[in-house]
Amino acid sequence: MSIKLGDKLRIARKMAGYRQDDIADKLNIQRQAISMWECNRNAPTRDNLEKLAQIYNVDIDYLKQDVMTLGTLIEHRLFEEYGISNLTEFEKRHICEKIIKMYDLVR
């Protein structure tokens, strides 16, 4: 599953437990800007992207990559938070499916 920047931002926001309004307040911008980014209709400035990475506690390189799989994001978070690494493809797929359902990430 390939993920565009807007999708990565939406996933990272939901996994961090924020609403679009929360992020808009933190960045001092309108909520509609967050929505546009997450719908891949516009992209945040470099400065805002760096701030988002800090707020969401994700590596800026993961956000800046053109394409990233959900498995890669999840694997990174599991390693960072719990020291879990070396997942099999089956385990990654299973975890991705659970997280997608849990965070209602499918549109």
Side-chain angles (χ1 to χ4, degrees):
M1 173 187 303
S2 295
I3 302 178
K4 295 180 181 178
L5 174 61
D7 300 315
K8 290 187 280 187
L9 292 173
R10 181 174 42 83
I11 290 166
R13 176 180 57 77
K14 287 187 174 192
M15 289 180 77
Y18 290 106
R19 297 173 303 129
Q20 287 182 345
D21 291 331
D22 300 328
I23 302 306
D25 289 344
K26 286 181 178 292
L27 298 179
N28 198 29
I29 60 175
Q30 294 183 349
R31 185 203 56 79
Q32 290 81 354
I34 306 296
S35 178
M36 295 289 278
W37 298 343
E38 291 183 3
C39 290
N40 293 300
R41 292 189 185 133
N42 203 344
T45 63
R46 181 183 176 144
D47 184 50
N48 280 334
L49 191 62
E50 290 173 358
K51 290 176 184 176
L52 290 168
Q54 289 179 333
I55 292 167
Y56 299 152
N57 192 30
V58 296
D59 191 317
I60 187 72
D61 292 332
Y62 283 96
L63 293 177
K64 289 178 6 180
Q65 291 175 358
D66 288 338
V67 175
M68 178 184 68
T69 66
L70 184 55
T72 303
L73 175 63
I74 291 169
E75 188 172 23
H76 171 73
R77 297 290 292 210
L78 287 172
F79 178 75
E80 200 174 73
E81 304 221 0
Y82 305 105
I84 298 171
S85 61
N86 299 325
L87 297 173
T88 67
E89 288 304 314
F90 174 79
E91 291 168 326
K92 287 181 198 175
R93 188 170 40 255
H94 180 72
I95 292 169
C96 288
E97 289 169 4
K98 293 281 187 189
I99 290 175
I100 287 169
K101 288 179 185 174
M102 183 184 341
Y103 288 100
D104 189 30
L105 300 177
V106 179
R107 294 184 196 219

